[in-house]
Amino acid sequence: MSLSKLKIADLEAKLPIVQGAMGVGISLSNLASTVANAGAVGMIAGVQIGYSEPDFEENPKEANIRALKKHIRKAKSLSPEGVIGVNLLTAINNYADMVRASVEEKVDLIVSGAGFPKNLPDLVKGSDTKIAPIVSSGKGAQLISKIWDRRYNRVPDMVIIEGPEAGGHLGFTVEDLKNPPSLENLVPETIENLAPFEEKYNKKIPVVAAGGIYNGKDIKKYLELGASGVQMATRFVTTKECDASEEFKKTYVNSAKEDIQLVKSPVGMPGRAINNQFINKLKEEDIPINKCYNCLRPCDPSSSSYCISDALVNSCIGDVDNGLIFCGTNAYRAEKITTVKDVINELVAEATNYNNVVSN
């Protein structure tokens, strides 16, 4: 058995693996380009991507746009033949500007979640950039497809269905998670809901399964369920090429299963993170917000218990005791810092029963 390629309209990745975007600053141009060179889809996280720009504190919007362009340009130069995408949260306040900046740099793919990207087709109109929403149900896939069909006479180039075991912000309420749906059921449900749109447009809409996928056995399972590919993020954190600090990576390696827990986010939805000093402090008191970056629409600094931007930036740059360490449900399974090449080789070998698929 060999793994099929992932075809996204006229884009083609050699492997049916999408590296999940991780912000703030966990998956930037270095990780994305390395993954793309290994044959998978490399993703840059756009949220607060300008955190290391010298004027980020004073001009966060301009810094984010500038940094986004830099990282797309760098990733494409490092992987000229690979597929490079960006993940832009629909909830960011400068969403339209960030989409336009991505299109200007001719990024291959824009993935959007954290709400319905209702106007995304209009923002990429006239470009070759492919667009893919992240949804948490088959009905969600159907709804965004209906909106795009009615308003713009187009449908998604790909759909990512993300289950409840994903990392970071989740597309489920706390109530939902008391009796969560299984990704095994969500995948065929999503495929079924997209079938009428595929027929109408005579176009394959690949469905990519995401959330809790960790090894080659998982990949094989979801491909057999009908998915065209899988999205994996956690596996790529503990690689040398990951853009995060070494301290951030070590929290995954040193974590135990019981350390992985749900946390309250200022944006109103639960998130999954590794327990640490920061989370324990939050259980006792709010953490004062000294500056608002006006980054996310659902966030109200007057009622928030902490600043999500500061928390994520701190952990990314290595101040893990004072930051939020987002992770997937399987983060505790990481045993060492490895390389993207070794991760990809292992995944493909497990899924196909043969080794050394990625050339030396």
Side-chain angles (χ1 to χ4, degrees):
M1 174 191 173
S2 62
L3 289 178
S4 58
K5 296 178 180 179
L6 176 58
K7 297 181 180 180
I8 311 167
D10 59 0
L11 291 177
E12 187 175 274
K14 294 177 182 177
L15 297 172
I17 299 171
V18 177
Q19 163 249 309
M22 297 167 284
V24 171
I26 310 303
S27 60
L28 300 175
S29 50
N30 195 52
L31 179 59
S33 61
T34 308
V35 169
N37 282 332
V41 177
M43 294 294 300
I44 296 167
V47 61
Q48 296 293 70
I49 192 171
Y51 71 94
S52 62
E53 292 290 300
D55 60 340
F56 178 67
E57 293 283 335
E58 298 77 28
N59 303 297
K61 287 187 178 181
E62 292 85 350
N64 282 329
I65 290 171
R66 187 187 319 120
L68 179 66
K69 289 185 171 184
K70 282 182 185 177
H71 280 288
I72 294 173
R73 210 172 297 146
K74 182 180 176 183
K76 288 176 70 70
S77 69
L78 291 172
S79 182
E81 303 299 322
V83 179
I84 299 292
V86 296
N87 183 302
L88 299 174
L89 303 182
T90 309
I92 58 175
N93 272 309
N94 61 335
Y95 179 73
D97 291 336
M98 294 288 274
V99 171
R100 292 189 188 103
S102 303
V103 170
E104 284 174 21
E105 294 300 328
K106 296 182 170 56
V107 76
D108 296 314
L109 171 70
I110 293 176
V111 170
S112 278
F116 277 145
K118 296 177 182 177
N119 64 336
L120 183 54
D122 188 47
L123 296 172
V124 303
K125 190 175 180 180
S127 76
D128 291 327
T129 298
K130 308 303 180 289
I131 51 177
I134 300 177
V135 298
S136 55
S137 68
K139 288 185 177 179
Q142 181 186 61
L143 178 57
I144 192 63
S145 298
K146 276 185 177 178
I147 293 171
W148 288 3
D149 173 35
R150 186 175 66 248
R151 292 185 184 178
Y152 307 108
N153 195 35
R154 74 171 294 175
V155 287
D157 297 302
M158 178 176 80
V159 169
I160 297 174
I161 174 68
E162 190 169 88
E165 294 188 1
H169 286 120
L170 305 176
F172 301 89
T173 64
V174 173
E175 196 63 30
D176 291 334
L177 294 173
K178 291 178 181 177
N179 185 27
S182 70
L183 186 57
E184 288 92 337
N185 292 331
L186 290 172
V187 168
E189 173 192 305
T190 303
I191 293 169
E192 182 181 347
N193 276 274
L194 290 173
F197 300 98
E198 291 184 318
E199 184 177 352
K200 178 176 180 179
Y201 285 83
N202 190 27
K203 170 183 177 175
K204 172 69 174 175
I205 305 175
V207 171
V208 170
I213 298 169
Y214 194 78
N215 56 29
K217 182 180 177 182
D218 295 334
I219 294 173
K220 186 176 180 181
K221 175 174 71 174
Y222 288 105
L223 294 181
E224 289 176 346
L225 282 171
S228 296
V230 299
Q231 178 176 280
M232 309 176 75
T234 294
R235 279 303 295 270
F236 293 104
V237 170
T238 51
T239 61
K240 293 177 181 177
E241 298 88 354
C242 176
D243 297 272
S245 64
E246 289 303 301
E247 291 82 1
F248 186 94
K249 299 174 190 181
K250 287 175 183 175
T251 62
Y252 278 50
V253 175
N254 296 330
S255 67
K257 187 174 184 177
E258 56 269 23
D259 294 326
I260 315 300
Q261 58 184 253
L262 296 178
V263 296
K264 183 181 177 182
S265 168
V267 303
M269 299 296 276
R272 182 169 280 113
I274 295 175
N275 192 37
N276 65 348
Q277 249 179 244
F278 179 81
I279 291 176
N280 288 329
K281 185 177 180 181
L282 271 178
K283 292 173 183 176
E284 303 295 328
E285 60 184 4
D286 290 350
I287 296 174
I289 298 174
N290 299 316
K291 173 183 173 56
C292 178
Y293 299 92
N294 194 30
C295 54
L296 297 171
R297 282 195 302 276
C299 184
D300 180 1
S302 67
S303 59
S304 296
S305 55
Y306 65 99
C307 173
I308 188 73
S309 283
D310 282 344
L312 292 174
V313 169
N314 284 346
S315 61
C316 169
I317 63 176
D319 186 7
V320 292
D321 289 335
N322 294 300
L324 191 60
I325 306 163
F326 272 160
C327 69
T329 191
N330 288 306
Y332 71 94
R333 293 169 68 177
E335 297 178 345
K336 61 182 180 180
I337 307 297
T338 181
T339 66
V340 166
K341 178 182 169 184
D342 284 347
V343 168
I344 293 286
N345 270 330
E346 183 180 316
L347 292 172
V348 175
E350 289 171 345
T352 61
N353 301 316
Y354 64 86
N355 293 297
N356 302 319
V357 174
V358 180
S359 59
N360 293 322

